[in-house]
Amino acid sequence: MQAARTPDALTVQARVIGALILREINTRFGEFRAGYLWAVVEPAVHVLSFAFLIAFFAHVAPLGTSLEVFVATAVIPFFFWRDILTRVEQAQRANRALLYFPIVKVMDAVFARVILEIATWLIIACFALALLGLSGFDALPADPLGCIGVMLVIGWSGAGFGMINLAIGVFTGAWERVLHVIIRPIYLFSGVAFLPSAMPDGLRDVIWFLPTAHLIDWLRECFFDGYHSSFLSKEYVVIMGVVCWAAGLFLERLLRARNEME
Amino acid sequence: MIQVQNVTKIYPVAHGRRLVLDDASIDLPGDRNIGLLGVNGAGKSTLLRLIAGTELPTHGRVLREGAVSWPIGFTGSFNGSSTGRANVKFIARIYGRDIDRAIEFVEDFSELGPYFDQPVKTYSSGMRARLAFGVSMAIDFNTYLVDEVTAVGDARFAEKCAAEFRARSAHANIIMVSHSAATLREYCQSAALIAFGKIFYFADVEDGLRAYDDVLRFS
């Protein structure tokens, strides 16, 4: 028997998020350490296969010395962004049973997933770059700290879009499916095998609205020495992120009562 | 002490809205066990969830004094693919209790034997209930919210729970939903009746049961 305590809300939230992260690790990666290794190796290999495939069909790298590394600097952030978006949008449904404990809030589940996903993808990125390096490519970022910073922004941005989906998903599951149909082509237009600034005017103006195109460009600015993009608008990325988070949090609060019924 | 203040609870349903609580207010004292009464669908479980904080009122507020449990029922909120032990670990962690002590307590109290290290989905409903009660006892709340305690299964374990509650009555109380007058008489001194969207408090559980009979005759 242990005495009941009433610690402050932040301590409780930190504790709950910590417990959720541990639980997520256990349920997702299995009880074995190798499970987490697999969770890193699998996406890294996936990302690299994509990079090699696309590089095979393209010709000259717009930046750096190899097309493989150039494509990897787009595929990694894009898959990361999409992955965290999906993880956040499913945070509520996947943790429905846990929300039965009043001490666990939806946002705790969201934060736990965001933290775990960012950590996992930083490791995936390092692992993928190490594999590229071992294959004889020049895969060292010019500004490693800057790259980590941009990766954090990507996680925050993807999670923001995930929040909106989480809220809308309360109303209808159809939206989620529609969104993922939209996301797939976004991938091709976000500058995987090209630089957005090298596109013809009309197309570039359309691409400009894709947050992923800016995020990839931003990462490349930090990755490749001496690259300054004329396309990149950091303001756009930040404003979109703030708007998504604000709308997502607002909707989550608004729809909480409705959610309880399901 | 739990204070329900001007609470309205509306659920959106397929065609319109269902009003469960309509500007209901009640003070539930913390020094006695209280049985919640009401016809099916009156909102007993809803009130329990509102008190726990699992759900929010549409309007109004609920004030709690001391640590209040989640609604302990037989449906459970365990992760089926994890073992009983892993579930206890998780719950001890979120409530900030010593994990080893919690595990030791539950292992002893729930009498699950080797099943403690089996996935919860392999448990019978009685075993689940025993795990649920064991865990909630290990956390040591001031107010236990219990939904249908009779589901705990065999009489011996029910008696063990009752004894555990009695041992804690100095610093813990129960708010309980049950359809069995015998169970309510055994555990509770007082009662709260939910009817017509309002909550009525009876210091004597017998008065509450009589009023409940009147409501039953009405509807």
Side-chain angles (χ1 to χ4, degrees):
Chain A
M1 227 159 66
Q2 297 165 42
R5 283 160 284 167
T6 40
D8 64 291
L10 266 183
T11 314
V12 171
Q13 193 174 29
R15 207 165 67 199
V16 170
I17 292 174
L20 285 169
I21 291 176
L22 285 174
R23 184 194 152 98
E24 188 101 6
I25 289 175
N26 279 339
T27 50
R28 248 177 81 195
F29 310 130
E31 308 279 335
F32 311 102
R33 296 270 149 80
Y36 193 76
L37 188 70
W38 180 242
V40 170
V41 172
E42 196 264 341
V45 169
H46 186 138
V47 156
L48 286 184
S49 336
F50 252 82
F52 280 105
L53 187 74
I54 293 167
F56 181 77
F57 289 106
H59 298 289
V60 188
L63 286 174
T65 49
S66 71
L67 200 54
E68 283 80 0
V69 174
F70 179 77
V71 173
T73 56
V75 178
I76 292 171
F78 186 86
F79 278 25
F80 172 37
W81 186 84
R82 197 184 66 178
D83 205 34
I84 203 159
L85 187 157
T86 313
R87 283 268 144 207
V88 167
E89 101 190 344
Q90 292 170 350
Q92 176 151 14
R93 214 172 319 133
N95 290 299
R96 193 151 294 253
L98 300 184
L99 298 173
Y100 189 79
F101 296 105
I103 204 169
V104 180
K105 310 289 181 210
V106 174
M107 289 314 297
D108 297 337
V110 169
F111 288 136
R113 286 185 160 212
V114 168
I115 292 168
L116 185 59
E117 216 55 36
I118 288 178
T120 305
W121 271 92
L122 283 175
I123 298 172
I124 293 169
C126 292
F127 185 70
L129 291 180
L131 281 184
L132 280 170
L134 287 174
S135 316
F137 298 104
D138 177 16
L140 277 181
D143 176 8
L145 276 182
C147 287
I148 292 174
V150 178
M151 285 292 273
L152 294 180
V153 175
I154 294 168
W156 172 74
S157 161
F161 280 87
M163 276 302 297
I164 291 192
N165 281 9
L166 184 151
I168 295 178
V170 174
F171 272 125
T172 165
W175 163 250
E176 209 173 284
R177 254 161 277 160
V178 170
L179 185 101
H180 283 275
V181 169
I182 301 172
I183 284 183
R184 231 153 280 161
I186 282 183
Y187 174 52
L188 294 173
F189 289 103
S190 294
V192 173
F194 57 86
L195 283 176
S197 47
M199 288 292 104
D201 285 353
L203 185 57
R204 193 180 55 222
D205 293 345
V206 176
I207 292 175
W208 193 88
F209 287 98
L210 303 176
T212 45
H214 292 273
L215 289 166
I216 290 170
D217 218 26
W218 195 348
L219 186 70
R220 280 174 173 160
E221 264 201 356
C222 295
F223 194 92
F224 295 104
D225 202 15
Y227 171 53
H228 289 288
S229 171
S230 57
F231 170 83
L232 171 63
S233 164
K234 296 175 183 172
E235 294 81 3
Y236 178 68
V237 170
V238 171
I239 289 169
M240 279 296 273
V242 170
V243 167
C244 282
W245 268 104
L249 287 171
F250 176 74
L251 284 171
E252 191 274 320
R253 183 68 186 80
L254 198 70
L255 300 174
R256 200 178 291 166
R258 189 191 169 93
N259 230 333
E260 292 157 359
M261 283 305 287
E262 290 163 22
Chain B
M1 168 86 100
I2 308 274
Q3 290 173 287
V4 177
Q5 295 180 339
N6 304 99
V7 167
T8 297
K9 183 69 187 180
I10 299 167
Y11 285 120
V13 288
H15 300 286
R17 298 134 62 86
R18 197 165 72 83
L19 181 66
V20 179
L21 292 173
D22 180 12
D23 194 26
S25 298
I26 198 85
D27 288 351
L28 300 173
D31 60 352
R32 65 194 64 198
N33 296 340
I34 301 164
L36 290 186
L37 299 164
V39 297
N40 282 330
K44 300 184 292 291
S45 298
T46 299
L47 180 60
L48 222 49
R49 287 196 296 270
L50 288 170
I51 292 174
T54 310
E55 286 187 19
L56 299 177
T58 314
H59 302 292
R61 57 183 186 164
V62 178
L63 301 180
R64 307 172 190 88
E65 215 175 66
V68 178
S69 81
W70 63 89
I72 306 156
F74 47 94
T75 45
S77 42
F78 297 116
N79 179 6
S81 52
S82 297
T83 63
R85 185 187 299 274
N87 275 288
V88 173
K89 266 190 198 170
F90 174 74
I91 295 168
R93 247 182 225 132
I94 60 175
Y95 282 97
R97 298 303 193 274
D98 186 279
I99 294 172
D100 294 335
R101 282 164 72 187
I103 286 196
E104 199 181 318
F105 181 90
V106 178
E107 209 166 9
D108 175 61
F109 189 87
S110 300
E111 301 172 16
L112 291 166
Y115 274 96
F116 194 49
D117 287 306
Q118 295 293 315
V120 170
K121 63 183 170 207
T122 65
Y123 288 20
S124 69
S125 59
M127 289 160 75
R128 268 171 201 255
R130 263 151 47 202
L131 182 63
F133 268 82
V135 178
S136 62
M137 296 288 184
I139 306 295
D140 194 33
F141 293 103
N142 297 111
T143 299
Y144 286 89
L145 306 175
V146 181
D147 210 340
E148 289 292 357
V149 71
T150 37
V152 166
D154 63 280
R156 199 185 57 78
F157 190 78
E159 180 46 45
K160 187 175 176 178
C161 288
E164 187 68 36
F165 276 128
R166 271 196 298 275
R168 293 173 184 212
S169 58
H171 59 97
N173 72 322
I174 311 174
I175 298 176
M176 168 188 292
V177 171
S178 178
H179 283 100
S180 149
T183 306
L184 289 173
R185 283 195 178 100
E186 186 193 341
Y187 280 91
C188 305
Q189 296 84 48
S190 304
L193 171 65
I194 306 172
F196 321 114
K198 304 284 186 193
I199 311 168
F200 306 92
Y201 178 73
F202 299 90
D204 185 347
V205 66
E206 294 300 333
D207 292 339
L209 286 167
R210 260 193 300 277
Y212 175 54
D213 278 339
D214 291 342
V215 172
L216 271 182
R217 227 166 294 142
F218 242 118
S219 45

